[in-house]
Coordinates of all heavy atoms in Angstrom, one line a residue:
K90 N -8.3 -12.8 -4.6 CA -7.4 -14.0 -4.4 C -6.8 -14.0 -3.0 O -6.7 -15.0 -2.4 CB -6.3 -14.0 -5.5 CG -5.4 -15.2 -5.4 CD -4.3 -15.1 -6.4 CE -3.3 -16.2 -6.2 NZ -1.9 -15.8 -6.4
E91 N -6.3 -12.8 -2.6 CA -5.7 -12.7 -1.3 C -6.6 -12.4 -0.1 O -6.1 -12.3 1.0 CB -4.6 -11.6 -1.4 CG -3.5 -11.9 -2.4 CD -2.6 -13.1 -2.0 OE1 -2.5 -13.4 -0.8 OE2 -2.0 -13.6 -3.0
K92 N -7.9 -12.3 -0.4 CA -8.9 -12.0 0.6 C -8.5 -10.7 1.4 O -8.5 -10.7 2.6 CB -9.1 -13.2 1.6 CG -9.6 -14.4 0.9 CD -9.7 -15.6 1.8 CE -10.3 -16.8 1.2 NZ -9.6 -17.4 0.1
V93 N -8.3 -9.7 0.6 CA -7.9 -8.4 1.2 C -9.1 -7.7 1.9 O -10.2 -7.7 1.3 CB -7.3 -7.5 0.1 CG1 -7.1 -6.0 0.6 CG2 -6.0 -8.1 -0.5
A94 N -8.9 -7.2 3.1 CA -10.0 -6.5 3.8 C -9.9 -5.0 3.6 O -10.9 -4.3 3.8 CB -9.9 -6.9 5.3
A95 N -8.7 -4.5 3.3 CA -8.6 -3.0 3.1 C -7.2 -2.8 2.4 O -6.3 -3.6 2.3 CB -8.5 -2.3 4.4
F96 N -7.2 -1.6 1.8 CA -5.9 -1.2 1.1 C -5.3 0.0 1.8 O -6.0 1.0 2.1 CB -6.2 -0.7 -0.3 CG -6.6 -1.8 -1.3 CD1 -7.9 -1.9 -1.8 CD2 -5.7 -2.7 -1.8 CE1 -8.3 -2.9 -2.7 CE2 -6.0 -3.7 -2.7 CZ -7.3 -3.8 -3.1
V97 N -4.0 -0.1 2.1 CA -3.3 1.1 2.6 C -2.5 1.6 1.3 O -1.7 0.9 0.8 CB -2.3 0.7 3.7 CG1 -1.5 1.9 4.1 CG2 -3.1 0.1 4.9
I98 N -2.8 2.8 0.9 CA -2.1 3.4 -0.3 C -1.2 4.5 0.1 O -1.6 5.4 0.9 CB -3.2 3.8 -1.3 CG1 -2.5 4.1 -2.6 CG2 -4.1 4.8 -0.8 CD1 -3.5 4.2 -3.8
G99 N -0.1 4.5 -0.4 CA 0.9 5.5 -0.1 C 0.5 6.9 -0.7 O 0.0 6.9 -1.9
L100 N 0.5 7.9 0.1 CA 0.2 9.2 -0.3 C 1.5 10.0 -0.5 O 2.2 10.3 0.5 CB -0.7 9.9 0.7 CG -1.5 11.1 0.2 CD1 -2.4 10.8 -1.0 CD2 -2.3 11.7 1.3
P101 N 1.9 10.3 -1.7 CA 3.3 10.9 -1.9 C 3.3 12.4 -1.7 O 3.4 13.2 -2.6 CB 3.5 10.6 -3.4 CG 2.1 10.5 -4.0 CD 1.2 10.0 -3.0
M102 N 3.3 12.8 -0.4 CA 3.4 14.2 0.0 C 4.7 14.7 -0.3 O 5.7 14.0 -0.3 CB 3.1 14.3 1.5 CG 1.7 13.8 1.9 SD 0.3 14.7 1.3 CE 0.5 16.2 2.2
N103 N 4.8 16.0 -0.6 CA 6.1 16.6 -0.7 C 6.8 16.7 0.6 O 6.2 16.6 1.7 CB 6.0 18.1 -1.3 CG 5.4 18.1 -2.7 OD1 5.8 17.2 -3.5 ND2 4.6 19.0 -3.0
M104 N 8.1 16.9 0.6 CA 8.9 16.8 1.9 C 8.4 18.0 2.8 O 8.5 17.8 4.1 CB 10.4 16.9 1.7 CG 10.9 15.7 1.1 SD 10.6 14.2 2.0 CE 11.6 14.4 3.4
D105 N 7.9 19.1 2.3 CA 7.4 20.2 3.1 C 6.0 20.0 3.6 O 5.4 20.8 4.3 CB 7.5 21.5 2.4 CG 6.7 21.7 1.2 OD1 5.9 20.7 0.9 OD2 6.7 22.7 0.5
G106 N 5.4 18.8 3.3 CA 4.0 18.5 3.7 C 2.9 19.0 2.8 O 1.8 18.7 3.0
S107 N 3.3 19.6 1.7 CA 2.3 20.1 0.7 C 1.9 18.9 -0.2 O 2.7 17.9 -0.3 CB 2.8 21.3 -0.1 OG 4.0 20.9 -0.8
A108 N 0.8 19.1 -0.9 CA 0.3 18.1 -1.8 C 0.6 18.5 -3.2 O 0.1 19.6 -3.6 CB -1.2 17.8 -1.6
G109 N 1.3 17.7 -4.0 CA 1.5 18.0 -5.4 C 0.7 17.2 -6.3 O -0.3 16.6 -5.9
P110 N 1.0 17.2 -7.6 CA 0.2 16.5 -8.6 C 0.1 15.0 -8.4 O -0.9 14.4 -8.7 CB 1.0 16.8 -9.9 CG 2.0 17.9 -9.7 CD 2.1 17.9 -8.2
R111 N 1.2 14.4 -7.8 CA 1.1 12.9 -7.5 C 0.1 12.6 -6.4 O -0.6 11.6 -6.5 CB 2.5 12.4 -7.2 CG 3.4 12.4 -8.4 CD 4.7 11.6 -8.2 NE 4.4 10.2 -7.8 CZ 5.0 9.6 -6.8 NH1 5.9 10.2 -6.1 NH2 4.7 8.4 -6.5
V112 N -0.1 13.5 -5.5 CA -1.1 13.3 -4.4 C -2.5 13.4 -5.1 O -3.3 12.6 -4.8 CB -1.0 14.4 -3.3 CG1 -2.2 14.4 -2.4 CG2 0.3 14.1 -2.5
Q113 N -2.7 14.4 -5.9 CA -4.0 14.5 -6.6 C -4.3 13.3 -7.4 O -5.4 12.8 -7.5 CB -4.0 15.8 -7.5 CG -3.9 17.1 -6.7 CD -3.6 18.3 -7.5 OE1 -3.4 18.2 -8.7 NE2 -3.6 19.5 -6.9
A114 N -3.3 12.8 -8.2 CA -3.5 11.6 -9.0 C -3.8 10.4 -8.1 O -4.7 9.6 -8.5 CB -2.2 11.3 -9.8
T115 N -3.2 10.3 -6.9 CA -3.5 9.2 -6.0 C -4.9 9.3 -5.5 O -5.6 8.3 -5.5 CB -2.5 9.1 -4.8 OG1 -1.2 9.0 -5.4 CG2 -2.8 8.0 -3.9
R116 N -5.3 10.5 -5.1 CA -6.7 10.7 -4.6 C -7.7 10.4 -5.7 O -8.7 9.8 -5.4 CB -6.9 12.1 -4.0 CG -6.1 12.3 -2.7 CD -6.4 13.7 -2.1 NE -5.6 14.0 -1.0 CZ -5.8 13.6 0.3 NH1 -6.8 12.8 0.5 NH2 -4.9 13.9 1.2
A117 N -7.4 10.8 -6.9 CA -8.3 10.5 -8.0 C -8.4 9.0 -8.3 O -9.5 8.5 -8.6 CB -7.8 11.2 -9.3
F118 N -7.3 8.3 -8.2 CA -7.3 6.8 -8.4 C -8.2 6.2 -7.3 O -9.1 5.3 -7.6 CB -5.9 6.3 -8.2 CG -5.8 4.8 -8.4 CD1 -5.6 4.2 -9.6 CD2 -5.8 4.0 -7.2 CE1 -5.5 2.8 -9.7 CE2 -5.7 2.6 -7.3 CZ -5.5 2.0 -8.6
V119 N -8.1 6.6 -6.1 CA -8.9 6.1 -5.0 C -10.4 6.4 -5.2 O -11.3 5.5 -5.0 CB -8.4 6.5 -3.6 CG1 -9.4 6.1 -2.5 CG2 -7.0 5.9 -3.3
R120 N -10.7 7.6 -5.6 CA -12.1 8.0 -5.8 C -12.7 7.1 -6.9 O -13.8 6.6 -6.8 CB -12.2 9.5 -6.3 CG -12.4 10.4 -5.2 CD -12.8 11.8 -5.7 NE -11.9 12.3 -6.8 CZ -10.8 13.0 -6.6 NH1 -10.3 13.2 -5.4 NH2 -10.1 13.4 -7.6
T121 N -11.9 6.9 -8.0 CA -12.4 6.1 -9.1 C -12.6 4.6 -8.7 O -13.5 3.9 -9.1 CB -11.5 6.3 -10.3 OG1 -11.4 7.7 -10.6 CG2 -12.2 5.7 -11.6
M122 N -11.6 4.1 -7.9 CA -11.7 2.8 -7.4 C -13.0 2.6 -6.5 O -13.6 1.5 -6.5 CB -10.5 2.4 -6.6 CG -9.2 2.1 -7.4 SD -9.4 0.6 -8.5 CE -9.7 -0.7 -7.3
G123 N -13.4 3.7 -5.9 CA -14.6 3.6 -5.0 C -15.8 3.2 -5.8 O -16.8 2.7 -5.2
E124 N -15.8 3.5 -7.1 CA -16.9 3.1 -7.9 C -16.9 1.6 -8.2 O -17.9 1.1 -8.7 CB -16.9 3.9 -9.2 CG -17.0 5.4 -9.0 CD -16.7 6.2 -10.2 OE1 -16.5 5.6 -11.3 OE2 -16.5 7.4 -10.1
K125 N -15.8 0.9 -8.0 CA -15.6 -0.5 -8.4 C -15.6 -1.4 -7.2 O -15.6 -2.6 -7.4 CB -14.4 -0.6 -9.2 CG -14.4 0.2 -10.5 CD -13.4 -0.1 -11.4 CE -13.5 0.6 -12.8 NZ -14.7 0.2 -13.5
T126 N -15.4 -0.9 -6.0 CA -15.2 -1.8 -4.8 C -15.8 -1.2 -3.5 O -15.8 0.0 -3.4 CB -13.8 -2.2 -4.6 OG1 -13.7 -3.2 -3.6 CG2 -12.8 -1.1 -4.4
D127 N -16.1 -2.1 -2.6 CA -16.5 -1.6 -1.3 C -15.4 -1.7 -0.3 O -15.5 -1.3 0.9 CB -17.7 -2.4 -0.8 CG -19.0 -2.1 -1.5 OD1 -19.2 -1.0 -2.0 OD2 -19.8 -3.1 -1.6
L128 N -14.2 -2.2 -0.7 CA -13.0 -2.2 0.2 C -12.6 -0.9 0.5 O -12.5 0.0 -0.3 CB -11.9 -3.0 -0.5 CG -12.2 -4.5 -0.7 CD1 -11.0 -5.1 -1.6 CD2 -12.3 -5.2 0.6
P129 N -12.3 -0.6 1.8 CA -11.8 0.7 2.2 C -10.4 0.9 1.9 O -9.6 0.0 1.8 CB -12.0 0.7 3.8 CG -12.0 -0.8 4.1 CD -12.5 -1.5 3.0
F130 N -10.0 2.2 1.6 CA -8.7 2.7 1.4 C -8.3 3.5 2.5 O -9.0 4.4 3.0 CB -8.6 3.5 0.1 CG -8.5 2.6 -1.1 CD1 -9.7 2.0 -1.6 CD2 -7.3 2.4 -1.8 CE1 -9.6 1.2 -2.8 CE2 -7.3 1.7 -3.0 CZ -8.4 1.0 -3.5
I131 N -7.0 3.4 2.9 CA -6.4 4.2 4.0 C -5.2 4.9 3.4 O -4.4 4.2 2.8 CB -6.0 3.4 5.2 CG1 -7.2 2.7 5.9 CG2 -5.2 4.2 6.2 CD1 -7.7 1.5 5.2
Y132 N -5.2 6.2 3.4 CA -4.0 7.0 2.9 C -2.9 6.9 4.0 O -3.2 7.1 5.1 CB -4.4 8.4 2.6 CG -5.3 8.6 1.5 CD1 -6.6 9.2 1.7 CD2 -4.9 8.3 0.2 CE1 -7.4 9.4 0.7 CE2 -5.8 8.5 -0.9 CZ -7.0 9.0 -0.6 OH -7.9 9.2 -1.7
W133 N -1.7 6.7 3.5 CA -0.5 6.6 4.4 C 0.6 7.5 3.8 O 1.0 7.3 2.7 CB -0.1 5.2 4.6 CG 0.9 5.0 5.7 CD1 2.2 4.8 5.6 CD2 0.6 4.9 7.1 NE1 2.8 4.7 6.9 CE2 1.7 4.8 7.8 CE3 -0.6 5.0 7.8 CZ2 1.8 4.7 9.2 CZ3 -0.6 5.0 9.2 CH2 0.6 4.8 9.8
D134 N 1.1 8.4 4.6 CA 2.2 9.2 4.2 C 3.4 8.4 3.8 O 3.9 7.6 4.6 CB 2.5 10.2 5.3 CG 3.6 11.3 4.9 OD1 4.3 11.1 3.9 OD2 3.6 12.3 5.6
E135 N 3.8 8.5 2.6 CA 4.8 7.6 2.1 C 6.2 8.3 1.9 O 7.0 7.8 1.2 CB 4.4 6.9 0.8 CG 4.3 7.9 -0.4 CD 4.4 7.1 -1.8 OE1 5.6 6.9 -2.2 OE2 3.4 6.7 -2.3
R136 N 6.3 9.5 2.4 CA 7.6 10.2 2.3 C 8.8 9.3 2.6 O 8.7 8.7 3.7 CB 7.6 11.5 3.1 CG 6.8 12.6 2.4 CD 6.9 13.8 3.3 NE 5.8 13.8 4.3 CZ 5.4 14.8 5.0 NH1 6.1 16.0 5.0 NH2 4.4 14.7 5.8
L137 N 9.7 9.2 1.7 CA 11.0 8.4 1.9 C 10.8 6.9 1.9 O 11.7 6.2 2.1 CB 11.7 8.9 3.2 CG 12.1 10.3 3.3 CD1 12.8 10.6 4.6 CD2 13.0 10.7 2.2
S138 N 9.6 6.4 1.6 CA 9.4 5.0 1.5 C 10.3 4.4 0.4 O 10.9 3.3 0.6 CB 8.0 4.6 1.4 OG 7.4 5.1 0.1
T139 N 10.3 5.0 -0.7 CA 11.1 4.5 -1.9 C 12.6 4.6 -1.5 O 13.4 3.7 -1.9 CB 10.8 5.3 -3.2 OG1 9.4 5.1 -3.4 CG2 11.6 4.7 -4.3
V140 N 13.0 5.7 -0.9 CA 14.4 5.8 -0.4 C 14.8 4.6 0.5 O 15.8 4.0 0.4 CB 14.7 7.2 0.2 CG1 16.0 7.2 0.9 CG2 14.5 8.3 -0.7
A141 N 13.9 4.4 1.5 CA 14.1 3.3 2.4 C 14.2 1.9 1.7 O 15.0 1.1 2.0 CB 13.0 3.3 3.5
A142 N 13.3 1.7 0.8 CA 13.2 0.5 0.0 C 14.5 0.3 -0.8 O 15.1 -0.8 -0.8 CB 12.0 0.5 -0.9
E143 N 15.0 1.4 -1.5 CA 16.2 1.3 -2.2 C 17.4 1.0 -1.3 O 18.2 0.1 -1.7 CB 16.4 2.7 -2.9 CG 17.7 2.8 -3.7 CD 17.5 2.3 -5.1 OE1 16.4 2.2 -5.7 OE2 18.6 2.0 -5.8
R144 N 17.4 1.6 -0.2 CA 18.5 1.3 0.8 C 18.5 -0.1 1.2 O 19.6 -0.8 1.3 CB 18.4 2.3 2.0 CG 19.6 2.3 2.8 CD 19.5 3.5 3.9 NE 19.5 4.7 3.2 CZ 18.9 5.8 3.6 NH1 18.1 5.8 4.7 NH2 18.9 7.0 3.0
A145 N 17.3 -0.7 1.5 CA 17.2 -2.1 1.9 C 17.7 -3.0 0.8 O 18.4 -4.0 1.1 CB 15.8 -2.4 2.4
L146 N 17.3 -2.7 -0.4 CA 17.7 -3.6 -1.5 C 19.2 -3.5 -1.7 O 19.8 -4.5 -2.1 CB 16.9 -3.2 -2.8 CG 15.4 -3.5 -2.7 CD1 14.7 -2.9 -4.0 CD2 15.2 -5.0 -2.7
L147 N 19.8 -2.3 -1.6 CA 21.2 -2.2 -1.7 C 21.9 -3.0 -0.7 O 22.9 -3.6 -0.9 CB 21.6 -0.7 -1.6 CG 21.4 0.2 -2.9 CD1 21.6 1.6 -2.6 CD2 22.3 -0.3 -4.0
E148 N 21.4 -2.9 0.6 CA 22.0 -3.6 1.7 C 22.0 -5.2 1.4 O 22.8 -5.9 1.9 CB 21.4 -3.3 3.0 CG 21.7 -1.9 3.5 CD 20.9 -1.5 4.7 OE1 20.2 -2.4 5.3 OE2 21.0 -0.3 5.1
M149 N 21.0 -5.6 0.7 CA 20.8 -7.0 0.4 C 21.6 -7.4 -0.9 O 21.6 -8.5 -1.4 CB 19.4 -7.4 0.2 CG 18.6 -7.3 1.5 SD 16.9 -8.0 1.3 CE 16.2 -6.9 0.1
D150 N 22.4 -6.4 -1.4 CA 23.2 -6.6 -2.6 C 22.4 -7.0 -3.8 O 22.9 -7.9 -4.6 CB 24.4 -7.6 -2.3 CG 25.6 -7.3 -3.2 OD1 25.7 -6.2 -3.7 OD2 26.3 -8.3 -3.4
V151 N 21.2 -6.5 -4.0 CA 20.4 -6.8 -5.2 C 20.9 -6.0 -6.3 O 21.2 -4.8 -6.2 CB 18.9 -6.4 -4.8 CG1 18.1 -6.6 -6.1 CG2 18.4 -7.3 -3.7
S152 N 21.1 -6.6 -7.5 CA 21.6 -5.9 -8.7 C 20.7 -4.8 -9.1 O 19.5 -4.8 -8.8 CB 21.8 -6.9 -9.8 OG 20.5 -7.3 -10.3
R153 N 21.3 -3.8 -9.9 CA 20.5 -2.7 -10.3 C 19.3 -3.1 -11.1 O 18.2 -2.6 -10.9 CB 21.4 -1.8 -11.2 CG 20.8 -0.6 -11.7 CD 21.7 0.3 -12.6 NE 23.0 0.6 -12.0 CZ 23.2 1.7 -11.4 NH1 22.3 2.7 -11.4 NH2 24.4 2.0 -10.8
A154 N 19.4 -4.1 -12.0 CA 18.3 -4.6 -12.8 C 17.2 -5.2 -11.9 O 16.0 -4.9 -12.1 CB 18.7 -5.6 -13.8
K155 N 17.6 -5.9 -10.9 CA 16.6 -6.5 -10.0 C 16.0 -5.5 -9.1 O 14.8 -5.6 -8.8 CB 17.2 -7.6 -9.2 CG 17.6 -8.9 -9.9 CD 16.5 -9.7 -10.3 CE 16.9 -11.0 -10.9 NZ 15.8 -11.7 -11.5
R156 N 16.8 -4.5 -8.7 CA 16.2 -3.4 -7.9 C 15.1 -2.7 -8.6 O 14.1 -2.4 -8.0 CB 17.3 -2.4 -7.5 CG 18.1 -2.8 -6.3 CD 18.9 -1.7 -5.7 NE 19.6 -0.8 -6.6 CZ 20.8 -0.9 -7.0 NH1 21.6 -2.0 -6.6 NH2 21.4 -0.1 -7.8
A157 N 15.3 -2.4 -9.9 CA 14.3 -1.7 -10.7 C 13.0 -2.5 -10.7 O 11.9 -1.9 -10.7 CB 14.8 -1.5 -12.1
E158 N 13.1 -3.8 -10.8 CA 11.9 -4.7 -10.8 C 11.2 -4.7 -9.4 O 10.0 -4.8 -9.4 CB 12.3 -6.1 -11.1 CG 12.7 -6.4 -12.5 CD 13.2 -7.8 -12.7 OE1 12.9 -8.7 -11.8 OE2 13.9 -8.1 -13.7
R159 N 12.0 -4.6 -8.4 CA 11.4 -4.8 -7.0 C 11.1 -3.6 -6.2 O 10.5 -3.7 -5.2 CB 12.4 -5.7 -6.3 CG 12.6 -7.1 -6.9 CD 13.5 -7.9 -6.1 NE 13.8 -9.2 -6.7 CZ 14.7 -10.0 -6.4 NH1 15.5 -9.7 -5.4 NH2 14.9 -11.1 -7.1
I160 N 11.6 -2.4 -6.7 CA 11.5 -1.2 -5.9 C 10.1 -0.8 -5.5 O 9.9 -0.5 -4.3 CB 12.3 0.0 -6.5 CG1 12.5 1.1 -5.5 CG2 11.6 0.4 -7.8 CD1 13.5 0.8 -4.4
D161 N 9.1 -0.9 -6.4 CA 7.8 -0.5 -6.1 C 7.1 -1.4 -5.1 O 6.4 -1.0 -4.2 CB 6.9 -0.4 -7.4 CG 7.5 0.7 -8.3 OD1 7.9 1.7 -7.8 OD2 7.4 0.5 -9.5
S162 N 7.4 -2.7 -5.2 CA 6.8 -3.6 -4.2 C 7.5 -3.5 -2.9 O 6.9 -3.6 -1.8 CB 6.8 -5.1 -4.7 OG 5.9 -5.2 -5.7
A163 N 8.8 -3.2 -2.9 CA 9.5 -3.0 -1.6 C 9.0 -1.7 -1.0 O 8.8 -1.7 0.3 CB 11.0 -2.9 -1.9
A164 N 8.7 -0.7 -1.8 CA 8.1 0.6 -1.2 C 6.7 0.3 -0.7 O 6.4 0.8 0.4 CB 8.1 1.6 -2.3
A165 N 5.9 -0.5 -1.3 CA 4.6 -0.8 -0.9 C 4.7 -1.6 0.5 O 3.9 -1.4 1.4 CB 3.8 -1.7 -1.9
S166 N 5.7 -2.4 0.6 CA 5.9 -3.1 1.8 C 6.3 -2.2 3.0 O 5.8 -2.4 4.1 CB 7.0 -4.2 1.6 OG 7.1 -5.1 2.6
F167 N 7.1 -1.2 2.7 CA 7.4 -0.2 3.7 C 6.2 0.6 4.1 O 6.0 0.9 5.3 CB 8.5 0.8 3.2 CG 9.9 0.3 3.5 CD1 10.6 -0.5 2.7 CD2 10.6 0.6 4.7 CE1 11.9 -1.0 2.9 CE2 11.8 0.2 5.0 CZ 12.5 -0.6 4.1
I168 N 5.4 1.0 3.2 CA 4.1 1.7 3.5 C 3.2 0.9 4.3 O 2.7 1.3 5.4 CB 3.4 2.1 2.1 CG1 4.3 3.1 1.4 CG2 2.0 2.5 2.4 CD1 3.8 3.3 -0.1
L169 N 3.0 -0.4 3.9 CA 2.2 -1.3 4.7 C 2.7 -1.5 6.1 O 2.0 -1.6 7.0 CB 2.0 -2.6 3.9 CG 1.1 -3.6 4.6 CD1 -0.3 -3.1 4.9 CD2 0.9 -4.9 3.7
Q170 N 4.0 -1.8 6.2 CA 4.6 -2.1 7.5 C 4.4 -0.9 8.5 O 4.1 -1.1 9.6 CB 6.1 -2.4 7.4 CG 6.7 -2.9 8.7 CD 6.0 -4.3 9.1 OE1 6.0 -5.2 8.3 NE2 5.5 -4.3 10.3
G171 N 4.5 0.3 8.0 CA 4.3 1.5 8.8 C 2.8 1.5 9.3 O 2.6 1.7 10.5
A172 N 1.9 1.2 8.5 CA 0.5 1.1 8.9 C 0.2 -0.1 9.8 O -0.5 0.1 10.8 CB -0.4 1.0 7.6
L173 N 0.9 -1.2 9.6 CA 0.7 -2.4 10.5 C 1.2 -2.0 11.9 O 0.6 -2.4 12.9 CB 1.4 -3.6 9.9 CG 0.8 -4.2 8.6 CD1 1.8 -5.3 8.1 CD2 -0.6 -4.7 8.8

Side-chain angles (χ1 to χ4, degrees):
K90 178 180 175 224
E91 299 290 337
K92 298 179 176 60
V93 171
F96 289 108
V97 175
I98 188 165
L100 197 60
M102 301 296 289
N103 293 325
M104 290 307 290
D105 66 2
S107 64
R111 290 192 56 229
V112 167
Q113 293 170 354
T115 300
R116 290 187 188 278
F118 179 87
V119 170
R120 267 193 312 276
T121 311
M122 282 298 295
E124 300 166 7
K125 299 192 173 296
T126 183
D127 289 330
L128 292 173
F130 278 78
I131 295 79
Y132 292 115
W133 193 258
D134 187 340
E135 70 159 272
R136 282 180 271 192
L137 300 179
S138 63
T139 302
V140 172
E143 178 88 19
R144 194 169 293 144
L146 292 171
L147 282 168
E148 288 174 7
M149 292 187 298
D150 204 26
V151 176
S152 72
R153 183 182 303 261
K155 292 282 186 194
R156 278 198 314 268
E158 291 174 17
R159 297 180 184 169
I160 192 71
D161 293 323
S162 289
S166 194
F167 271 89
I168 291 164
L169 180 56
Q170 190 63 56
L173 293 175

